[in-house]
Amino acid sequence: MNVLILGSGGREHAMAWKIAQSDLLTQLFIAPGNEGTDQLGVNIKIQPTDFESVKELVLDHEIELVVVGPEDPLVKGIHDFFLNDSELKNVAVIGPQKYAAQLEGSKEFAKEFMVRHTIPTAAYKSFTKNNLEEGFQFLQTLNPPYVLKADGLAQGKGVLILNDLQEAKDELKEMLANEKFGTASSKVVIEEFLDGIELSCFVLTDGKSYVNFPNAKDYKRIGEGDKGLNTGGMGAVSPVPFADEVFMDKIEKQVIKPTVEGLQKDNIPYKGFIFFGIIKVGDEPKVIEYNCRMGDPESEVVIPRIKSDFLELLIAAGESELHTKTIEFVPESACAVMLVSGGYPESYEKGKVIYGLDKVEGSIVFHAGTTNKNNEVVTNGGRVLAITSYGTDFKQALKKSYQNIEKISFEKMNFRKDIGFDL
Ligand code: AMP
Ligand code: GLY
């Protein structure tokens, strides 16, 4: 079968790497892809949100299965676009329809879903500019820190955690009255602060059955010790050592099952990945967020730990046959360390030649922001490469990644030297 992956990051390279190993694959296309995916299939330079161009590509290359990497095309309704088009409606799309993608695209939708299905999460209230005063009053009833969340997608920047009441009120006003995050913050969810350690869990579901993927923990801040600005993710490890069997069982019973069953009860079709952002408060799991896609850089450790044929699972999800499948993992741990451009997550330069990739041994290099210029691999984004390794535990895996990183260089390369520091 011919398969198309939409996206261009490390997540999509990891998916391409795994799908390329499947006997079920005929030809692989990635749009727009990066220099890494170019080695595994055919990159086509179109954007995933340009649905008409995606259609042309799918018809031209007789694509039978489309895996949607990022959330943006899902929230904008790419799956619905396929279902509503007579030429595309039989193409399997892995990624939920627009309505269900609100689990990620609207914090309020996600909170209402969790409350409806008794899924543990932080207490909350939501506000618009019409009840800003009530928002101020609600903040006064809470203890600091105050958690303010823009309802819509805000490129990972829409969550503010503030210690000072006045600052929280000012920010609430900025978000609601002055559209700090554009229309994404025309509604704001204010929620109870949860104190604990986070992890990410993933399932692939066809809306009825699901398979659990390995869990992972990512490191979002730019600076060591989890300090500084938020990024897309600076590294990840899988499995998460503190998530023992008892805790994972709680997540399954209290979060994962009720979520998939909740989708069914609400008559919400869902074919794709669900990403559960979980925080462990005491010994109990609470949901911080849902995403309607795989994580990045979590994919760069989760997918390499899947032993089963990933494409076979995707096909089964597309055909609503996941109940016939099981999933196997490799026993080793995996880690990924992200190499980023100097300046990221603020402004940074592109087009820097990357040296030493051919010297890497015993790690997998997943490309994120890379491209080809004059037959050289050059940087093309903030997050540039994920260096993934296996080990008997995450420390062994990290040692390998850091050894290989010493062989790689580009101007102003930056990375965190403390991935896994808190485990
Ligand atoms: P979100 O986009 O909802 O995942 O939030 C981004 C980050 O903010 C999360 O990964 C957490 O680190 C933090 N966060 C979100 N909600 C809460 C909360 N209720 N309590 C504590 N931290 C939170
Ligand atoms: N690493 C977090 C995310 O993909 O949203």
Side-chain angles (χ1 to χ4, degrees):
M1 123 171 343
N2 289 347
V3 175
L4 169 65
I5 300 174
L6 295 177
S8 63
R11 166 181 52 211
E12 288 75 20
H13 187 188
M15 289 180 174
W17 172 85
K18 187 70 183 162
I19 289 173
Q21 294 168 30
S22 171
D23 291 337
L24 301 167
L25 180 73
T26 312
Q27 221 187 346
L28 179 62
F29 298 86
I30 311 94
N34 59 36
E35 195 43 26
T37 62
D38 201 42
Q39 312 299 315
L40 298 165
V42 183
N43 280 354
I44 310 260
K45 294 279 166 233
I46 62 165
Q47 289 307 316
T49 47
D50 178 358
F51 297 172
E52 288 296 339
S53 299
V54 172
K55 173 178 175 176
E56 213 171 296
L57 193 170
V58 166
L59 296 178
D60 284 354
H61 297 285
E62 298 177 356
I63 307 277
E64 289 170 88
L65 183 119
V66 180
V67 191
V68 186
E71 64 279 12
D72 208 27
L74 294 167
V75 172
K76 292 195 167 117
I78 193 163
H79 194 152
D80 312 63
F81 174 84
F82 272 65
L83 290 174
N84 293 328
D85 187 298
S86 59
E87 290 176 291
L88 296 179
K89 67 174 194 285
N90 294 322
V91 176
V93 177
I94 303 302
Q97 293 165 51
K98 188 173 181 167
Y99 186 76
Q102 289 181 90
L103 280 182
E104 174 163 3
S106 165
K107 299 278 186 205
E108 188 185 46
F109 179 93
K111 295 299 275 192
E112 286 174 350
F113 179 88
M114 287 186 260
V115 169
R116 195 157 61 242
H117 300 293
T118 343
I119 293 162
T121 188
Y124 82 104
K125 273 193 176 163
S126 50
F127 300 91
T128 66
K129 67 175 178 216
N130 298 329
N131 60 355
L132 183 59
E133 273 304 321
E134 285 170 43
F136 292 157
Q137 282 161 21
F138 183 61
L139 281 171
Q140 282 170 2
T141 67
L142 300 176
N143 295 318
Y146 306 95
V147 183
L148 308 184
K149 298 186 169 185
D151 180 59
L153 293 184
Q155 291 167 329
K157 299 193 176 80
V159 176
L160 302 179
I161 298 181
L162 305 155
N163 285 311
D164 181 74
L165 179 62
Q166 190 54 47
E167 207 185 330
K169 287 181 174 178
D170 293 345
E171 287 291 355
L172 182 65
K173 189 171 166 198
E174 275 304 300
M175 288 166 93
L176 289 176
N178 300 330
E179 300 201 337
K180 176 173 176 136
F181 299 106
T183 52
S185 66
S186 52
K187 198 180 275 171
V188 171
V189 167
I190 302 181
E191 69 178 35
E192 168 198 13
F193 178 81
L194 299 173
D195 196 10
I197 186 159
E198 288 176 56
L199 81 157
S200 310
C201 297
F202 308 90
V203 299
L204 172 67
T205 181
D206 55 16
K208 297 195 291 281
S209 304
Y210 60 89
V211 287
N212 283 306
F213 280 12
N215 61 30
K217 182 170 200 319
D218 80 336
Y219 292 82
K220 289 201 180 84
R221 303 295 190 97
I222 187 72
E224 273 146 34
D226 273 336
K227 302 266 159 46
L229 293 174
N230 251 325
T231 70
M234 296 294 288
V237 300
S238 174
V240 181
F242 69 78
D244 58 17
E245 223 172 284
V246 174
F247 186 60
M248 289 311 294
D249 196 49
K250 283 186 184 173
I251 293 178
E252 175 116 34
K253 290 205 174 88
Q254 296 175 30
V255 177
I256 297 178
K257 263 178 135 266
T259 298
V260 176
E261 285 170 6
L263 290 167
Q264 278 178 272
K265 282 184 198 153
D266 291 350
N267 281 319
I268 304 175
Y270 199 112
K271 282 184 182 174
F273 304 102
I274 311 176
F275 170 150
F276 303 86
I278 307 267
I279 188 161
K280 184 176 185 221
V281 183
D283 285 326
E284 299 305 315
K286 297 213 179 200
V287 178
I288 289 266
E289 65 167 345
Y290 285 116
N291 294 313
C292 60
R293 53 172 173 85
M294 284 298 294
D296 193 346
E298 289 96 329
S299 293
E300 291 95 300
V301 291
V302 166
I303 292 173
R305 292 195 60 236
I306 297 174
K307 194 167 164 190
S308 313
D309 185 330
F310 184 55
L311 180 54
E312 187 182 330
L313 294 171
L314 297 175
I315 294 170
E319 293 174 343
S320 302
E321 291 290 334
L322 260 189
H323 61 280
T324 64
K325 301 292 170 193
T326 52
I327 184 165
E328 266 189 277
F329 310 155
V330 302
E332 288 87 7
S333 291
C335 76
V337 179
M338 239 33 244
L339 305 183
V340 305
S341 299
Y344 173 80
E346 296 182 283
S347 65
Y348 55 85
E349 292 165 33
K350 294 183 187 176
K352 308 293 180 196
V353 178
I354 302 171
Y355 300 101
L357 291 177
D358 53 331
K359 300 199 177 66
V360 171
E361 276 173 65
S363 295
I364 313 167
V365 178
F366 290 121
H367 291 231
T370 65
T371 189
N372 187 301
K373 200 165 92 188
N374 305 326
N375 288 322
E376 286 184 301
V377 184
V378 300
T379 67
N380 193 39
R383 292 192 293 169
V384 177
L385 300 165
I387 312 304
T388 292
S389 311
Y390 297 103
T392 47
D393 59 28
F394 78 90
K395 287 183 187 155
Q396 293 293 324
L398 278 165
K399 206 165 141 190
K400 264 192 239 166
S401 285
Y402 285 122
Q403 278 166 355
N404 275 313
I405 287 169
E406 281 178 28
K407 304 174 193 164
I408 304 172
S409 65
F410 55 86
E411 206 185 305
K412 297 190 185 156
M413 179 176 110
N414 184 27
F415 62 94
R416 268 181 67 169
K417 294 164 195 73
D418 70 338
I419 299 306
F421 79 98
D422 54 345
L423 297 176

